[in-house]
Amino acid sequence: MTQTALRQDLNTRVEEVLRERFALHCTTAEAYGPEFAALWRAGADHALGGKLVRPRLLLDVHHALDPDAGDGPITAAVDIATQIELLHYAFLLHDDVIDGDLTRRQRPNLIGALAAGTPGISAQDSLHWARSSAILMGDLILSAAVMGFARADVPHETRLRLLELVEQTILETVAGEHTDVALSHGIIPSDVETVLSMSVYKTATYSFSLPLRAAALLAGSSRSAEETLQTVGRHLGLAYQLQDDLLCVFGDHRSHGKDAYSDLREGKETAIIAFARSTSAWTRIDPRFGAPDLNLADAEGIRDLLRECGAERFVVGLIGDQLDAVYALLAEAELAGEITSDAARSILVSASRLEGRQA
Amino acid sequence: MTQTALRQDLNTRVEEVLRERFALHCTTAEAYGPEFAALWRAGADHALGGKLVRPRLLLDVHHALDPDAGDGPITAAVDIATQIELLHYAFLLHDDVIDGDLTRRQRPNLIGALAAGTPGISAQDSLHWARSSAILMGDLILSAAVMGFARADVPHETRLRLLELVEQTILETVAGEHTDVALSHGIIPSDVETVLSMSVYKTATYSFSLPLRAAALLAGSSRSAEETLQTVGRHLGLAYQLQDDLLCVFGDHRSHGKDAYSDLREGKETAIIAFARSTSAWTRIDPRFGAPDLNLADAEGIRDLLRECGAERFVVGLIGDQLDAVYALLAEAELAGEITSDAARSILVSASRLEGRQA
């Protein structure tokens, strides 16, 4: 099988495992009434729409680290990749509740879909019903993901290390989300350093470090290789998040999947904004930043100011720094014999395949 | 050691384990900034205030089922009892978010405490901050509890059965909570049968069936004993919930720990209300039921109507049915040699020690 065919095959397997698991949950849910079954069906519908970037990253890197892995280890890797996708979906669900979002990838998210699907009750009650349902579905998926790690068909010692990894991941992701909420209310002052560490915790840990470390763990790599991959994941994840931030403000809005300038309308504390706050341009950006009725002219005005004050250039530079750090870490790990050059190349290829605003 | 001294000792051990775990989490949290550390401290403060009724039930029944258990099995039972208390706290946190509650046991809950502790931002933003924090703390505690089951120091087969038990428990509890929200919005019509099955799922499963089944599992009881205890737990839990409902409407409000008539003010769909809906008295109850400004005279008027229409008598009768079922199940299990008469007595004593509105 060629590399591409193998990759395609593994992705299909992740999708199939996810589909089977949700089908089973939907059937089990019938016993608790039609509303609960409907919640699971809606959950399945939304969970299965993703691009599976985290499972792909894990499986690609696992293959690169252990190209001769047999059926057993590959099945275990597919299983853990599936749990990571579930974890991602659980985080999205609670994130959308906290942010008050009703859409994702330009279509209604679970909350939006449920709120629209309850005729005969007030809009306020519909929204409460939909958000409560999303909190509860998130709890189910979060515990299912942890339970999946706990049941991994690997030696007990490996399973304990996987559990430690997922525990650390959940802690950091929640800490990052908590800091994000604090920033949005001005409870923590916004500066570049705080925003960057928030992004690492909230996004990079579970989206990049987790799949990379899990791949290393399952491939039987050394602890030092795993630690290197954790750091590589942080830099890649930060680069990805910064790229995503740039796209929303400076990107071509016809080609990426998010409302134009939504970050500016929502007053999101990105690295772009944190930098701009430290410049004299901020007094001209501040009055309309985060205005719910921000129109296109306002947004373009802010965009131009963000460009003029150097925020775009600054963040482009930060992305370059992250990628430089990744190259240096991988080169060093290769030299030290921690990972093969094939694995290093695979990580870079996987990372470059990621697109912002869609994952 | 006497029975009482042993019980006291085990409760102290559960408390100590919980205290140590939270202390460790608080220390780890420091690395993620002062707000996150403060969240953990507040979480510990609220989680450690409980009466540990679920851990006590597990440990009492475990002792009755396996009176000669050595240090290893007792330590495992204390450990699992602690995870069940964490699970309880995780459910409370998300329940309070969903219900919009700011108090519990007549003092501010985590949300109330956090909302009051953020000067300098608007009341609406404070509430959002506090609720978001409670969602996130609930996620951390929920995953910590599942992880605790996954790490239980018991044979792998027992661990897998414990995981199955906690998975089933989380599913039923969430399904019950989901039905409760649906009932509160009239998305599901309220009738006695629906309200009773909702109560079993939402409360009885995790508060009674889970500790009883875990005790049986850890004591090495037979599968049939475990199944009997699951059913016993459902009846006990339902009796407990119905007693709690009665207390809130007909109880002496100076002696139980909840606002007088809060269920009537919040429009809670209890078995009392579901029964009353089927009587001619409902047209006189309906107009003020669930009114946020319900005063004492209104509440006492509704209370008298609920008494007159037979709802109180009906629910008292239901409680009797549950306890009869428990006696019959335990007698049968004793006859079949599934459990000893000591164990049967211990379950009844533990159950009778529970007080409503405080647990």
Side-chain angles (χ1 to χ4, degrees):
Chain A
M1 204 181 266
T2 64
Q3 286 283 81
T4 318
L6 178 79
R7 185 174 304 126
Q8 196 45 51
D9 177 56
L10 290 179
N11 280 334
T12 310
R13 280 180 64 184
V14 169
E15 243 177 63
E16 272 169 12
V17 174
L18 275 174
R19 209 169 287 280
E20 278 164 22
R21 282 192 65 168
F22 273 100
L24 194 65
H25 284 302
C26 288
T27 307
T28 310
E30 303 277 352
Y32 303 94
E35 279 71 19
F36 193 58
L39 172 62
W40 268 107
R41 282 196 302 275
D45 185 34
H46 290 262
L48 295 170
K51 286 183 149 190
L52 305 178
V53 294
R54 292 156 194 83
R56 283 168 69 165
L57 181 59
L58 187 158
L59 293 169
D60 283 356
V61 175
H62 181 258
H63 177 70
L65 291 170
D66 186 9
D68 304 320
D71 269 0
I74 289 179
T75 301
V78 167
D79 177 43
I80 293 298
T82 309
Q83 312 308 336
I84 293 178
E85 186 65 14
L86 288 178
L87 192 64
H88 166 56
Y89 184 53
F91 288 144
L92 287 189
L93 281 168
H94 285 184
D95 201 35
D96 282 348
V97 172
I98 289 172
D99 293 348
D101 286 338
L102 300 177
T103 59
R104 188 168 284 269
R105 301 189 198 112
Q106 292 186 307
R107 51 171 272 201
N109 61 14
L110 183 73
I111 303 170
L114 292 173
T118 47
I121 64 173
S122 71
Q124 200 188 334
D125 283 359
S126 291
L127 206 55
H128 178 264
W129 163 249
R131 285 196 179 134
S132 304
S133 298
I135 292 176
L136 294 170
M137 178 60 35
D139 289 347
L140 289 169
I141 306 277
L142 175 64
S143 52
V146 176
M147 219 105 55
F149 276 84
R151 285 172 174 151
D153 189 15
V154 294
H156 190 55
E157 175 60 27
T158 309
R159 196 161 41 230
L160 289 178
R161 284 179 64 194
L162 281 171
L163 280 172
E164 214 174 293
L165 173 56
V166 76
E167 180 173 47
Q168 171 77 7
T169 300
I170 292 172
L171 177 70
E172 292 204 349
T173 309
V174 165
E177 173 80 11
H178 190 249
T179 303
D180 198 13
V181 180
L183 282 168
S184 76
H185 290 308
I187 292 170
I188 298 177
S190 169
D191 57 51
V192 170
E193 198 191 343
T194 307
V195 170
L196 294 184
S197 82
M198 179 275 287
S199 292
V200 167
Y201 291 139
K202 183 179 168 181
T203 306
T205 296
Y206 90 88
S207 297
F208 291 82
S209 292
L210 172 64
L212 288 173
R213 287 183 67 184
L217 233 158
L218 292 166
S221 303
S222 64
R223 290 226 180 217
S224 66
E226 196 191 319
E227 276 163 31
T228 299
L229 289 178
Q230 168 167 358
T231 313
V232 165
R234 288 184 174 161
H235 288 294
L236 278 181
L238 187 52
Y240 168 79
Q241 182 60 54
L242 294 171
Q243 183 63 38
D244 202 56
D245 295 340
L246 283 178
L247 264 179
C248 188
V249 177
F250 304 104
D252 174 356
H253 296 123
R254 286 158 305 183
S255 69
H256 67 73
K258 189 153 172 175
D259 291 351
Y261 308 116
S262 56
D263 287 356
L264 300 180
R265 194 174 303 111
E266 292 162 13
K268 200 171 154 197
E269 288 297 331
T270 62
I272 305 168
I273 296 301
F275 178 88
R277 284 183 183 276
S278 68
T279 70
S280 61
W282 186 250
T283 51
R284 284 178 296 155
I285 295 169
D286 194 26
R288 294 295 291 157
F289 175 67
D293 62 342
L294 193 85
N295 62 32
L296 192 64
D298 288 335
E300 290 178 349
I302 295 180
R303 177 200 63 195
D304 293 344
L305 286 165
L306 289 170
R307 190 164 273 154
E308 280 165 33
C309 79
E312 183 185 22
R313 200 166 48 247
F314 173 74
V315 172
V316 169
L318 279 179
I319 295 174
D321 295 345
Q322 306 312 312
L323 298 179
D324 287 349
V326 170
Y327 298 138
L329 280 160
L330 290 176
E332 208 178 311
E334 221 183 298
L335 256 180
E338 274 178 13
I339 61 170
T340 64
S341 62
D342 268 8
R345 198 165 39 248
S346 164
I347 291 167
L348 292 175
V349 171
S350 298
S352 70
R353 219 187 292 119
L354 293 170
E355 298 156 37
R357 291 283 148 183
Q358 293 280 1
Chain B
M1 204 181 268
T2 65
Q3 286 284 82
T4 319
L6 178 79
R7 185 174 305 126
Q8 196 46 51
D9 177 57
L10 290 179
N11 279 335
T12 309
R13 278 179 66 184
V14 169
E15 242 177 63
E16 271 169 14
V17 174
L18 275 174
R19 208 169 287 281
E20 278 164 22
R21 282 192 65 169
F22 273 100
L24 194 64
H25 284 303
C26 288
T27 308
T28 310
E30 303 276 352
Y32 302 95
E35 279 71 21
F36 193 57
L39 173 62
W40 268 107
R41 281 194 304 273
D45 185 35
H46 290 262
L48 295 171
K51 285 182 148 193
L52 306 179
V53 294
R54 293 156 194 83
R56 283 168 69 166
L57 181 58
L58 187 158
L59 293 169
D60 283 356
V61 175
H62 180 259
H63 177 71
L65 291 170
D66 187 9
D68 305 318
D71 269 0
I74 289 179
T75 302
V78 167
D79 176 42
I80 292 299
T82 309
Q83 313 306 336
I84 292 179
E85 185 66 14
L86 288 178
L87 192 63
H88 166 56
Y89 184 52
F91 288 144
L92 287 188
L93 281 169
H94 286 184
D95 202 36
D96 282 347
V97 171
I98 289 172
D99 294 349
D101 287 338
L102 300 177
T103 60
R104 189 167 283 270
R105 301 188 198 113
Q106 293 186 304
R107 50 170 271 200
N109 61 13
L110 183 73
I111 303 170
L114 292 174
T118 46
I121 65 173
S122 72
Q124 198 189 334
D125 283 0
S126 290
L127 206 55
H128 178 263
W129 163 248
R131 285 195 180 136
S132 304
S133 298
I135 292 175
L136 294 170
M137 176 63 32
D139 289 348
L140 289 170
I141 305 280
L142 175 65
S143 53
V146 176
M147 219 107 49
F149 275 84
R151 285 173 174 149
D153 189 14
V154 294
H156 190 53
E157 176 58 29
T158 309
R159 194 161 45 230
L160 289 178
R161 284 179 63 195
L162 282 171
L163 279 172
E164 217 174 288
L165 174 56
V166 76
E167 181 174 46
Q168 172 76 8
T169 300
I170 292 171
L171 177 69
E172 292 204 349
T173 310
V174 165
E177 173 81 11
H178 191 249
T179 302
D180 198 15
V181 179
L183 281 168
S184 76
H185 290 308
I187 292 170
I188 299 177
S190 170
D191 58 50
V192 171
E193 200 191 341
T194 308
V195 169
L196 294 183
S197 83
M198 178 275 288
S199 292
V200 168
Y201 291 139
K202 183 180 168 180
T203 307
T205 297
Y206 90 87
S207 297
F208 292 83
S209 293
L210 172 63
L212 288 173
R213 286 183 67 185
L217 233 158
L218 291 166
S221 305
S222 66
R223 288 226 182 218
S224 65
E226 195 191 320
E227 277 163 31
T228 298
L229 290 178
Q230 170 168 359
T231 314
V232 165
R234 285 183 176 162
H235 289 293
L236 278 181
L238 188 51
Y240 168 79
Q241 181 61 53
L242 294 171
Q243 184 61 38
D244 202 57
D245 295 341
L246 283 178
L247 264 179
C248 189
V249 177
F250 303 105
D252 174 357
H253 295 123
R254 285 158 304 184
S255 70
H256 68 72
K258 190 152 173 177
D259 290 351
Y261 308 115
S262 56
D263 287 356
L264 301 179
R265 193 175 303 111
E266 291 163 14
K268 200 172 154 196
E269 288 298 331
T270 63
I272 306 168
I273 296 300
F275 178 87
R277 283 182 182 277
S278 69
T279 71
S280 61
W282 185 250
T283 51
R284 283 178 295 154
I285 295 168
D286 194 26
R288 295 295 291 156
F289 175 67
D293 61 343
L294 193 84
N295 61 33
L296 192 64
D298 288 335
E300 289 178 348
I302 295 181
R303 178 199 62 194
D304 293 343
L305 286 165
L306 289 171
R307 190 165 273 155
E308 280 164 36
C309 78
E312 183 185 23
R313 200 167 47 247
F314 173 74
V315 172
V316 168
L318 279 180
I319 295 174
D321 295 346
Q322 305 314 310
L323 297 179
D324 287 348
V326 170
Y327 299 137
L329 280 161
L330 289 177
E332 207 179 311
E334 221 183 299
L335 256 181
E338 272 178 14
I339 61 170
T340 64
S341 61
D342 268 8
R345 199 165 37 249
S346 163
I347 291 168
L348 291 175
V349 171
S350 298
S352 69
R353 217 185 295 120
L354 292 171
E355 301 154 36
R357 293 283 149 183
Q358 292 280 0

